[in-house]
Amino acid sequence: MISEIINAIQNNLLVCFPTETVYALACSALDSGAIKKIYQVKKRSQNKPLSISVSDIYSLTKIAELEEKYFSLINHFSPGPITYILPLKNNNILPNEFFKGSIGVRIPNHPIAISILNELKTPIVATSINISGEKSVCKASDIPQSIKQHLSAVIEDDKLVSGMESTVIDLTGDKIKVLREGAVLLQVICFQAEVDRRNEKSNRP
């Protein structure tokens, strides 16, 4: 089934698979046509940027600028249910029609999502599979029919889907800003950031 998902993404088609947060509606992050289709089926405004998923921090740094002071934080929480808003690299490979200035990036921690990303070796757009403004989906049986009819491949497996969306944190400024609290609490992120800051201080010559 994973091979069907990979094949569909490589052919710029829409797919759905489970993550540790909610079910994802996904496509190649390199194809404008597929990304446009996601906006259409979700009835989502193109003013609202879509997040991407990558397999590891190395892949993340090929697309986004990562300040050294945030590296330990992302390393600690990845893979996991946090989406990081980071400045886009100028020479990134993503279509600039949809990705400008900054980007939301996540490294998911679900065996199916990890297998897909590891095999693809390219970033994917991955967003909750719901009509914009409606509840996210944590059971395959709740995937809206109006979206399901546009999918070329679906993996249904509710076991590890928590139903809690990812926490979204903005790392484009001097301080960490939480834009949406989700599966990881703000206090936990702030505590880890403080630990990293102290470690960095003590490691200075």
Side-chain angles (χ1 to χ4, degrees):
M1 207 58 210
I2 283 174
S3 59
E4 284 179 36
I5 294 275
I6 287 160
N7 190 42
I9 292 172
Q10 287 172 333
N11 284 291
N12 303 323
L13 300 169
L14 305 194
V15 301
C16 172
F17 55 82
T19 76
E20 78 277 27
T21 54
V22 296
Y23 270 86
L25 170 62
C27 72
S28 167
L30 310 179
D31 185 70
S32 292
I35 298 168
K36 197 171 278 183
K37 182 94 172 170
I38 282 189
Y39 275 109
Q40 288 168 351
V41 301
K42 273 179 70 79
K43 300 187 168 76
R44 183 182 173 102
S45 162
Q46 284 195 24
N47 299 332
K48 291 182 174 177
L50 293 165
S51 295
I52 67 164
S53 289
V54 294
S55 56
D56 52 33
I57 291 185
Y58 174 69
S59 304
L60 180 153
T61 57
K62 287 203 284 192
I63 291 160
E65 302 280 359
L66 178 52
E67 278 192 63
E68 205 173 315
K69 66 178 177 181
Y70 293 134
F71 188 88
S72 296
L73 185 80
I74 294 180
N75 203 36
H76 178 81
F77 286 110
S78 298
I82 298 184
T83 300
Y84 306 98
I85 310 294
L86 295 161
L88 256 180
K89 275 193 165 165
N90 289 332
N91 61 345
N92 76 83
I93 50 174
L94 306 175
N96 60 13
E97 182 185 348
F98 299 105
F99 303 103
K100 299 178 182 84
S102 61
I103 190 164
V105 191
R106 187 160 98 79
I107 302 169
N109 188 20
H110 186 288
I112 291 170
I114 290 166
S115 297
I116 292 164
L117 287 162
N118 282 343
E119 205 148 322
L120 272 173
K121 296 181 176 61
T122 55
I124 61 170
V125 164
T127 180
S128 53
I129 187 158
N130 57 337
I131 302 299
S132 193
E134 291 184 9
K135 199 172 178 294
S136 297
V137 171
C138 55
K139 286 191 172 73
S141 56
D142 292 336
I143 296 169
Q145 191 53 43
S146 63
I147 295 180
K148 203 168 190 178
Q149 64 188 16
H150 296 284
L151 302 174
S152 294
V154 183
I155 294 180
E156 298 185 356
D157 187 344
D158 299 344
K159 278 197 301 287
L160 302 172
V161 182
S162 72
M164 284 186 80
E165 291 184 324
S166 67
T167 298
V168 180
I169 61 173
D170 187 341
L171 301 180
T172 58
D174 288 338
K175 289 187 177 170
I176 296 167
K177 204 190 291 178
V178 176
L179 304 184
R180 179 180 76 194
E181 202 160 320
V184 181
L185 297 175
L186 168 61
Q187 296 93 313
V188 176
I189 295 166
C190 290
F191 173 78
Q192 188 57 41
E194 182 59 23
V195 168
D196 292 341
R197 195 178 65 79
R198 286 182 182 176
N199 286 345
E200 195 185 328
K201 261 187 177 176
S202 64
N203 289 337
R204 281 178 194 154

